[in-house]
Amino acid sequence: MQEKMKELTAFLQYHAKRYYVLDDPEISDYEYDMALRELQALELAYPQWKDPASPTTRVVGQVLEGFESVSHQVPMQSLNDAFSREEIMEFDERVRAALNEPYAYSVEYKIDGLSVSLEYENGLFTRGSTRGDGHVGEDVTQNLKTIGSIPLRLPDSLPYLEVRGEVFIGKENFEKMNQKREKNGEQTFANPRNAAAGSLRQLDPAVAAKRYLDIYIFNIQRVEGKEFTSHTEGLSYLAEQGFKVVPKIAAYDTADKAFERVLEIGRERDSLPFDIDGAVMKVDSLSQRERLGATSKCPRWAIAYKFPAETKKTRLKDIVLQVGRTGAMTPTAILEPVRLAGSTVGRATLHNLDYITEKDIRIGDMVYVRKAGDIIPEIIRVETQDRNGTEIPFVMPEFCPECGERLEREEGETVFRCTGGNCPAQLQRNLEHFASRDAMDIEGLGPAVIEQLLSEGLIHSAADLFALQPEKLTGLERFGEKSAQNLLDALEKAKTQDLSKLLFALGIRLNGQRSSRLLAKAFGSMDALMEQNEESLMAIHEIGEKTAHNVFEYFQNPRNRELIERLKAAGVNMLHQESEDATDRLAGKKFVVTGSFDALSRQELTALIEKNGGMVSGSVSKKTDYLVAGEAAGSKLAKAQELAIPVLGLDELLAMIEE
């Protein structure tokens, strides 16, 4: 039996490598699954002979209570970015001046995913962690074990090996996953990078196991028992050990040749089965890297060339109006689907009528589309040379397509608004906003569920949510006893949210998260706030005339006051609860947050800054005191550097708060 278990383990490890690493399977999924099941049965019967790196250890176990912190012995640094050939050549001049001897650059894809560290002791995979702030990350070993392309045991039993890689989701698998989520009424992911990052940080490894996660290894962080002279030599060794190494790495003896490869990678971008957001040039010699050294954030021997936002040409099939929660009509382009920046795009925002008129956008046009910030698709220009006379100019209708009430455009505004007080589309959007993460944060109450509750007549306002009964929910499609109870639990939890969250959730025009926090802090309770006049509201620092007017007008409306009373009667908190660990250490400082952070979401980081007295703005200007920059910081980082504004990493911001 022991020999049989060894044979099955070797068989499964071999075929896992063929499937996950080499992408060249030799047996069917069924054959693999049957062998895995047989090995599981034998390990249950003879646990004393189970290999610690057995393929069965990838099988999902119990839900984690939380992630342990991991201190990185070798910091997981970020890279300086370049956006032009001139910046690449400036980097090369610095390298040449520092080395004063021949050198070569390796060039590789910059995979758009989540950076992780994998640690091996005596050839056995022992721990995997996220990058975090570069110095401290999170232990996500159990989730990483579900990734088939990560070897659990290496052929060479080196005393210690730490490698760095990028976890990602391939383009085809991302589409497959989003199709499943859409079919199940779940919210789809915006792009593969966000999906990969969110999947790896799930406390339930079963979730990560279903998300098609993959990995490419791109660096050796530390090694004992083996020496290498170059980066490319080290990666060749890792490939021999069964790692899925970032493909097509080669070394070039001049910066010009290396940059030619960078441009070639840019041309390959669309045809690759995974997303990239650039290419990386690295000094290949490890001894020369030692001499070049690093700053506190970035190595001096590497640079990332960031490609401009991807643009695609497609046909605009139609223009429809989307009704927002305030009645604002947003024209939306219906496109012939096109693959763009990590996902298939079939719709794009057209902002408002002025935007359509200015760019002369017509139904039937061939248009160029890009994703603003790699998230929101938008049309940037029209290919007028492709017109044949069948294109149709867009005309704003007189009446709302949802409720039939008249559309109006207020003086000085760019948007048309529905005047219908009972517009069903407005109610849908209002409830989506009310339940959103930045508002009442009601988990499980997504657009599909809200639409279902509205169509069944179970809710007509936000207050009705807190009166839902389990027997009404369990009679609906996709609602079993457990899912119904989960939603009711989430609603019960939402009742305890701070007053500032409730104020934002109400959807008062021009009243954002920051002004909601300022109002909650200034007046302490909903009752006190409702009694204020416009002058007393404007007396609050940063509350402008328009916001004060809208807040005042909102609470003068009898329907809105009735909603507040019903929420109060349902047990929803109406008081501001000051956080116990709030400080004024960032008081008077204006921050801009950009890029992505493994340890915190940008919303959490914004809340942290504001909790400690700082202000957060969406754009960099001369009035900005600090830019807090994470991965893929982009244009805001470039603007901050141009204005000589101090740039902080997450660890530096935390140190500022602690001091």
Side-chain angles (χ1 to χ4, degrees):
M1 287 300 101
Q2 187 177 10
E3 286 303 313
K4 178 65 174 174
M5 290 166 72
K6 286 181 180 179
E7 287 174 16
L8 282 168
T9 298
F11 174 85
L12 289 163
Q13 287 172 338
Y14 171 80
H15 287 291
K17 182 179 178 181
R18 301 293 311 181
Y19 183 88
Y20 292 109
V21 180
L22 303 178
D23 198 22
D24 184 25
E26 294 179 351
I27 62 173
S28 68
D29 290 352
Y30 178 79
E31 289 175 276
Y32 184 90
D33 291 341
M34 290 302 100
L36 185 67
R37 186 174 294 182
E38 184 180 358
L39 180 58
Q40 280 181 288
L42 289 172
E43 287 176 347
L44 283 172
Y46 307 100
Q48 69 273 27
W49 294 328
K50 180 177 178 178
D51 186 334
S54 167
T56 63
T57 60
R58 297 192 191 279
V59 178
V60 175
Q62 64 186 35
V63 176
L64 307 173
E65 292 184 6
F67 295 118
E68 300 274 336
S69 294
V70 176
S71 295
H72 301 305
Q73 297 304 307
V74 176
M76 295 177 70
Q77 295 184 304
S78 54
L79 295 172
N80 284 317
D81 293 333
F83 298 90
S84 66
R85 186 181 187 280
E86 290 71 28
E87 289 177 307
I88 290 290
M89 293 308 154
E90 288 172 7
F91 163 74
D92 181 56
E93 285 175 16
R94 294 193 295 271
V95 170
R96 186 186 309 118
L99 292 178
N100 196 28
E101 65 183 21
Y103 54 91
Y105 290 113
S106 65
V107 181
E108 61 197 56
Y109 300 116
K110 188 174 185 298
I111 311 293
D112 194 12
L114 182 74
S115 196
V116 297
S117 159
L118 308 179
E119 296 175 69
Y120 291 79
E121 295 180 18
N122 299 315
L124 188 67
F125 177 46
T126 55
R127 186 168 67 174
S129 53
T130 61
R131 177 179 178 272
D133 63 5
H135 298 282
V136 178
E138 293 175 317
D139 188 331
V140 289
T141 308
Q142 297 309 313
N143 287 347
L144 287 168
K145 279 186 175 182
T146 68
I147 301 176
S149 46
I150 294 178
L152 300 179
R153 186 191 293 280
L154 307 179
D156 291 355
S157 297
L158 298 179
Y160 182 83
L161 174 68
E162 181 183 0
V163 298
R164 183 172 173 180
E166 198 83 358
V167 172
F168 67 98
I169 298 174
K171 293 177 180 178
E172 188 177 327
N173 282 331
F174 178 73
E175 293 295 339
K176 192 187 301 182
M177 185 170 66
N178 262 352
Q179 286 170 8
K180 285 184 179 178
R181 292 179 69 83
E182 193 168 13
K183 186 178 178 181
N184 294 334
E186 298 174 292
Q187 187 174 352
T188 56
F189 291 108
N191 55 57
R193 197 242 175 238
N194 288 2
S199 303
L200 198 60
R201 298 188 69 250
Q202 293 286 333
L203 291 174
D204 186 355
V207 176
K210 296 175 182 176
R211 295 279 178 86
Y212 304 104
L213 295 175
D214 205 344
I215 191 170
Y216 274 125
I217 304 301
F218 63 83
N219 202 57
I220 295 177
Q221 298 291 91
R222 281 196 299 160
V223 62
E224 295 175 12
K226 192 82 176 174
E227 291 187 1
F228 305 102
T229 60
S230 70
H231 175 61
T232 47
E233 180 193 359
L235 292 188
S236 294
Y237 172 78
L238 293 183
E240 293 169 6
Q241 295 299 301
F243 288 103
K244 191 171 182 177
V245 173
V246 65
K248 294 187 178 180
I249 290 182
Y252 303 86
D253 58 7
T254 69
D256 283 322
K257 291 178 184 176
F259 190 63
E260 277 302 312
R261 173 57 185 152
V262 168
L263 296 180
E264 185 182 342
I265 287 175
R267 293 190 290 271
E268 294 174 2
R269 190 177 182 183
D270 288 352
S271 61
L272 295 172
F274 48 83
D275 282 325
I276 61 172
D277 59 355
V280 182
M281 285 174 54
K282 300 175 180 177
V283 171
D284 195 39
S285 166
L286 300 182
S287 61
Q288 288 177 338
R289 287 187 183 185
E290 287 283 336
R291 288 168 54 191
L292 289 165
T295 67
S296 61
K297 288 185 65 179
C298 305
R300 293 191 177 95
W301 42 262
I303 194 164
Y305 182 83
K306 304 299 284 291
F307 298 130
E310 189 178 9
T311 303
K312 289 287 184 67
K313 184 179 177 182
T314 187
R315 187 171 300 281
L316 193 161
K317 296 161 61 179
D318 198 4
I319 296 176
V320 298
L321 291 176
Q322 187 169 8
V323 187
R325 60 184 175 83
T326 63
M329 312 299 292
T330 303
T332 301
I334 306 300
L335 308 168
E336 286 186 358
V338 61
R339 176 114 192 146
L340 183 66
S343 62
T344 299
V345 170
R347 300 165 74 91
T349 179
L350 290 169
H351 302 291
N352 52 56
L353 183 62
D354 291 348
Y355 186 85
I356 296 172
T357 305
E358 178 189 333
K359 295 190 177 295
D360 190 21
I361 298 170
R362 305 179 186 181
I363 298 168
D365 271 334
M366 294 300 295
V367 296
Y368 289 90
V369 188
R370 73 176 177 196
K371 281 189 178 180
D374 276 347
I375 296 175
I376 304 169
E378 64 177 356
I379 291 174
I380 54 171
R381 66 183 177 91
V382 174
E383 187 60 270
T384 55
Q385 293 179 350
D386 288 346
R387 285 180 175 165
N388 58 19
T390 62
E391 295 78 20
I392 305 169
F394 175 73
V395 178
M396 183 66 73
E398 289 185 47
F399 303 100
C400 174
E402 297 287 345
C403 69
E405 294 292 333
R406 186 170 293 278
L407 300 183
E408 290 184 357
R409 183 175 184 173
E410 292 182 20
E411 188 177 347
E413 284 203 351
T414 58
V415 299
F416 286 79
R417 295 184 190 277
C418 169
T419 57
N422 296 307
C423 180
Q426 285 188 58
L427 178 56
Q428 169 86 24
R429 305 288 180 270
N430 267 305
L431 290 171
E432 288 174 14
H433 173 74
F434 187 86
S436 66
R437 181 176 179 180
D438 292 332
M440 298 299 277
D441 193 15
I442 306 172
E443 191 174 346
L445 192 61
V449 173
I450 291 171
E451 185 177 2
Q452 191 176 17
L453 295 174
L454 286 170
S455 64
E456 294 291 334
L458 294 179
I459 57 172
H460 301 90
S461 74
D464 293 331
L465 291 168
F466 299 98
L468 288 171
Q469 298 298 316
E471 60 272 14
K472 293 287 187 181
L473 291 174
T474 51
L476 300 178
E477 186 182 352
R478 292 198 300 268
F479 266 103
E481 286 187 18
K482 185 176 180 182
S483 55
Q485 190 57 51
N486 286 344
L487 177 56
L488 294 174
D489 290 344
L491 286 163
E492 198 63 32
K493 181 181 175 184
K495 292 180 182 180
T496 65
Q497 293 284 15
D498 185 68
L499 172 62
S500 60
K501 288 266 198 177
L502 176 58
L503 286 175
F504 180 62
L506 293 175
I508 303 170
R509 281 179 62 189
L510 300 183
N511 181 54
Q513 289 176 266
R514 172 128 185 105
S515 53
S516 294
R517 280 190 283 267
L518 292 171
L519 292 169
K521 187 173 182 179
F523 299 108
S525 71
M526 182 68 81
D527 287 341
L529 176 60
M530 290 170 68
E531 298 308 314
Q532 303 304 313
N533 56 33
E534 292 186 48
E535 289 72 22
S536 61
L537 291 171
M538 281 193 294
I540 307 302
H541 181 58
E542 292 187 64
I543 300 296
E545 182 179 348
K546 289 184 178 179
T547 301
H549 174 74
N550 287 340
V551 171
F552 175 74
E553 287 293 317
Y554 181 89
F555 289 121
Q556 296 310 299
N557 187 317
R559 286 175 55 193
N560 295 334
R561 283 186 169 262
E562 181 190 352
L563 172 64
I564 299 299
E565 289 305 317
R566 289 188 62 205
L567 290 171
K568 189 187 297 184
V572 175
N573 174 57
M574 298 282 160
L575 301 175
H576 175 53
Q577 300 152 337
E578 190 72 61
S579 176
E580 291 181 6
D581 55 350
T583 75
D584 60 357
R585 290 169 190 159
L586 304 181
K589 303 297 182 185
K590 193 172 185 179
F591 295 80
V592 173
V593 178
T594 187
S596 57
F597 304 83
D598 291 341
L600 294 172
S601 69
R602 277 163 65 170
Q603 292 95 332
E604 290 169 333
L605 189 49
T606 297
L608 177 67
I609 292 169
E610 292 180 335
K611 185 174 73 175
N612 288 279
M615 295 177 288
V616 180
S617 171
S619 58
V620 176
S621 70
K622 291 179 180 179
K623 294 182 179 179
T624 304
D625 291 298
Y626 297 100
L627 177 77
V628 185
E631 293 273 2
S635 59
K636 289 181 182 177
L637 176 59
K639 182 74 179 289
Q641 291 169 336
E642 179 187 326
L643 297 174
I645 291 166
V647 178
L648 305 176
L650 179 58
D651 53 339
E652 293 164 308
L653 174 68
L654 296 176
M656 185 184 291
I657 293 171
E658 288 167 7
E659 288 167 4

